[in-house]
Amino acid sequence: MTLMITPATFVCERDFEHSVALLYFAFTDHEARKVWYGGKERGFNVAHHTLDFREGGGESWRGQPHGDAWMTNDATFIDIVPDQRIIYSYVMTMDGALFTVSQQAVEFSVRGAGSHIRLTEQIMFIDRTDHLAGRIEGTQAMLDHLNAWLDAHIAGN
């Protein structure tokens, strides 16, 4: 097999009925992020999840989505502007093998009485692991779970 890197870029955008402050909080608070990002509520078996939200800090996640292969996601936060943007890089492995390297920018803005998120990802698929459609689908599902967490958080307050 010829080793190769396949680059791609995608953008996901979503409107929320909730404030930018609450949306940003959901990205930056460890307890909130554990629920919507990759937790039991999403059908994931999570063995490890840490969050050190600061420039130069990172996030480390190890789990098994939907009973599939064990995966890791290790991120480093590059640029943080509260309530406006988060830029980070991350690597993912599957059963111990590197399969993607990414940079992601998450931009927050006010939209009417709610908020808007624009998520841009530049990704390198390693050694024929190209699954762009699956990555976009997973990101959209993550945003669905984020919206459900926001709704539940507001209902609980």
Side-chain angles (χ1 to χ4, degrees):
M1 174 173 75
T2 302
L3 301 180
M4 62 186 297
I5 295 171
T6 305
T9 299
F10 69 90
V11 176
C12 293
E13 296 192 57
R14 183 78 58 98
D15 291 331
F16 296 91
E17 295 179 1
H18 309 285
S19 70
V20 167
L22 180 58
L23 183 59
Y24 182 80
F25 172 81
F27 273 82
T28 63
D29 180 78
H30 187 227
E31 293 305 312
R33 197 159 167 90
K34 283 192 322 188
V35 174
W36 68 265
Y37 174 72
K40 294 175 186 172
E41 292 79 3
R42 290 192 64 194
F44 293 6
N45 175 16
V46 179
H48 171 81
H49 187 207
T50 61
L51 180 65
D52 177 12
F53 190 78
R54 62 181 172 83
E55 289 180 0
E59 181 173 31
S60 179
W61 183 92
R62 283 153 184 49
Q64 189 179 28
H66 313 292
D68 295 333
W70 282 92
M71 299 175 70
T72 66
N73 183 326
D74 292 302
T76 301
F77 296 105
I78 298 166
D79 183 55
I80 297 170
V81 180
D83 295 335
Q84 293 182 42
R85 75 170 176 248
I86 304 166
I87 301 173
Y88 58 100
S89 62
Y90 69 97
V91 297
M92 292 183 75
T93 67
M94 184 179 301
D95 286 337
L98 179 67
F99 77 101
T100 63
V101 177
S102 297
Q103 289 189 114
Q104 191 173 96
V106 183
E107 299 169 273
F108 306 90
S109 59
V110 174
R111 171 95 24 114
S115 58
H116 181 79
I117 190 171
R118 177 183 163 104
L119 186 150
T120 304
E121 183 160 335
Q122 297 173 316
I123 185 170
M124 291 184 289
F125 296 100
I126 309 298
D127 300 335
R128 302 188 185 275
T129 61
D130 185 349
H131 61 279
L132 181 59
R135 182 61 67 90
I136 294 169
E137 182 181 315
T139 301
Q140 293 288 5
M142 179 186 70
L143 293 175
D144 291 342
H145 284 272
L146 169 60
N147 193 54
W149 180 88
L150 292 165
D151 288 346
H153 183 77
I154 291 299
N157 285 338

